[in-house]
Amino acid sequence: MKILICGAQGFLGRHISQALQEAGHEVCHGVRKPKLPERLTDPEEIAINYAQDIEPAIWEKRLRSLGQIDVIINAVGILNETPELSFGAIHHDAPAALFYAAARRGVKAVVQISALGATNETEHPEAMTGYMQSKRAAEKALIASGLSYLILRPSLAVGIDGGSSQLFRSMASLPLLGLPGRGEQQVQPVHVDDLCAAIALWLADENRKSMLLNAVGPQAMSYRRMLEIYRKAMGMSAQCMFSIPMSVMRFAASAARLLPQNLLTPDSLRMLEQDNVADATALATHLGRPAKSHKDWFTGIPAKMLASSAIAGWSLPLFRYVLALVWFVTAAVSFGLYPISGSLALLQPLGLSGTPAMFMLMAASTLDLCLGLATLLWPRRILWLMQIALIVGYSGIIAIYSPEYYLHPFGPVLKNLPILALLAYLYAHQTDTRKETK
């Protein structure tokens, strides 16, 4: 069959695409940012703006250009809204327009990746977040379209390359971790391989019937227990955990909206507070076997490899923030936090005094400030090389003109060595991203 996967660049979309290609299907990738033409490989990529393509006519034209599409898989989703990306547009308006166009174009079936949601949402719909409301609205649009459908409602999806799995591994690798409340919120993780298998089996059934399937793993577990499982898989000893009162978490989530992040928000905290579990029997029956348990999540992957990538998840940003702080404090000290006369005196061994010395001091202070900003906002391999070169240069000048600082009891110059080591670490782990028209 010829299958269009919307959201093919995401975690679920990538795995679904691979599974269906291995099953012999022809796959087209619907993506927000296609690769550059010279980097294009099979399968074909189709540019789709899910935030704006909310009219059926747009989708009809797109489907017509692709030829006869047999199946559409919608794996598009966002966890948090931005000014450009809303739950309503991404989760409901665009999918609803797609389903209408698919019905008119004779598409045979649609697979909708939805979400499990809270166990009490039927009794208390007002407790549903904007994320969950938009997901449920898309389900209703698909059911009303008259298309044959498989609606999958996964709990937390697990996979070695999944964003949430990487995040939780990083959290589990921390020496100390605060848990919302007591960390007893319930989840029922399902492995991405089981989601892919469920889709492949449904498509392979010539007598397929429309299904709404809660896709959950065999065991419900607390948030705390899940982190303990991740830590054990990395070969680490027990983690020190402490409870953070939910009132504090809610205040932090509200305050965090002012920061350039989308991890901790009031909606994401509300979803965490609500248990995310269901009966695992339906998925096991559909698969013809039990879904993967936590013992099989990381089979064949060395614990050291898991631990290394997990620690890098928090150590790299930590090192960047610490390095930026060093540059900011250095700039503040040179701008006047330390007496200007004392700073100018340090330049006298270089033969600088008066206006030239003041100019050099202000220029160096401005450079430190710029390096601090660049460390936070523009991490690049060239930036780390520039900082290494600057520190080595400073150290060389001091060695020539003020060698006594190398024997100073506080070791002000020798402390450049750990900073150089930190920069070397950042350089080795930096992956530069080129600007592309995707």
Side-chain angles (χ1 to χ4, degrees), residues 121-158:
E121 64 183 34
T122 302
E123 296 81 3
H124 303 283
E126 71 281 357
M128 293 173 63
T129 63
Y131 170 90
M132 197 56 62
Q133 290 175 8
S134 60
K135 284 289 188 179
R136 292 294 179 265
E139 292 180 9
K140 293 178 181 178
L142 177 54
I143 294 171
S145 70
L147 291 161
S148 175
Y149 63 82
L150 169 63
I151 296 175
L152 282 176
R153 290 180 173 179
S155 181
L156 184 66
V158 175

Side-chain angles (χ1 to χ4, degrees), residues 419-438:
I419 296 178
L420 288 172
L422 183 152
L423 284 165
Y425 182 85
L426 289 172
Y427 178 85
H429 287 79
Q430 182 69 50
T431 302
D432 289 347
T433 55
R434 297 180 180 179
K435 186 176 180 180
E436 300 178 355
T437 304
K438 294 186 176 180

Side-chain angles (χ1 to χ4, degrees), residues 36-228:
L36 290 173
E38 61 269 20
R39 295 179 58 193
L40 281 177
T41 58
D42 288 333
E44 180 183 0
E45 290 190 338
I46 301 93
I48 300 175
N49 189 326
Y50 301 102
Q52 297 181 6
D53 295 354
I54 58 176
E55 297 296 332
I58 298 174
W59 288 100
E60 283 195 59
K61 180 180 179 180
R62 180 173 292 128
L63 293 175
R64 190 180 302 114
S65 69
L66 292 173
Q68 182 55 49
I69 294 293
D70 299 303
V71 177
I72 294 174
I73 298 176
N74 181 33
V76 178
I78 55 174
L79 287 177
N80 294 292
E81 292 182 296
T82 68
E84 298 79 22
L85 304 174
S86 70
F87 289 143
I90 300 294
H91 292 165
H92 172 256
D93 298 344
L98 169 60
F99 303 152
Y100 181 87
R104 289 177 59 87
R105 290 294 303 167
V107 172
K108 296 177 181 177
V110 170
V111 177
Q112 168 72 4
I113 307 298
S114 188
L116 182 60
T119 55
N120 65 344
E121 64 183 34
T122 302
E123 296 81 3
H124 303 283
E126 71 281 357
M128 293 173 63
T129 63
Y131 170 90
M132 197 56 62
Q133 290 175 8
S134 60
K135 284 289 188 179
R136 292 294 179 265
E139 292 180 9
K140 293 178 181 178
L142 177 54
I143 294 171
S145 70
L147 291 161
S148 175
Y149 63 82
L150 169 63
I151 296 175
L152 282 176
R153 290 180 173 179
S155 181
L156 184 66
V158 175
I160 185 66
D161 58 328
S164 62
S165 294
Q166 293 171 350
L167 170 64
F168 290 131
R169 287 203 307 275
S170 291
M171 294 174 66
S173 69
L174 289 166
L176 181 66
L177 179 64
L179 298 177
R182 293 183 298 173
E184 296 302 324
Q185 301 85 355
Q186 295 291 303
V187 293
Q188 200 163 344
V190 59
H191 198 278
V192 65
D193 290 350
D194 290 328
L195 293 175
C196 295
I199 294 171
L201 285 169
W202 188 75
L203 293 178
D205 185 359
E206 295 182 357
N207 300 314
R208 73 180 77 92
K209 296 181 180 180
S210 294
M211 293 179 60
L212 193 158
L213 188 61
N214 291 330
V216 295
Q219 298 114 0
M221 61 186 69
S222 68
Y223 178 57
R224 175 190 294 269
R225 174 59 180 155
M226 182 181 65
L227 292 172
E228 290 172 348

Side-chain angles (χ1 to χ4, degrees), residues 297-309:
W297 287 355
F298 306 113
T299 301
I301 304 173
K304 288 185 177 180
M305 182 182 298
L306 289 172
S308 177
S309 62

Side-chain angles (χ1 to χ4, degrees), residues 18 20 27 120 134 143 177 197 233 311 325 338 358 373 379 383 395:
Q18 181 179 349
L20 295 182
V27 176
N120 65 344
S134 60
I143 294 171
L177 179 64
I311 293 171
L325 179 63
Y338 184 77
M358 179 61 74
L373 292 172
L383 176 65
S395 300

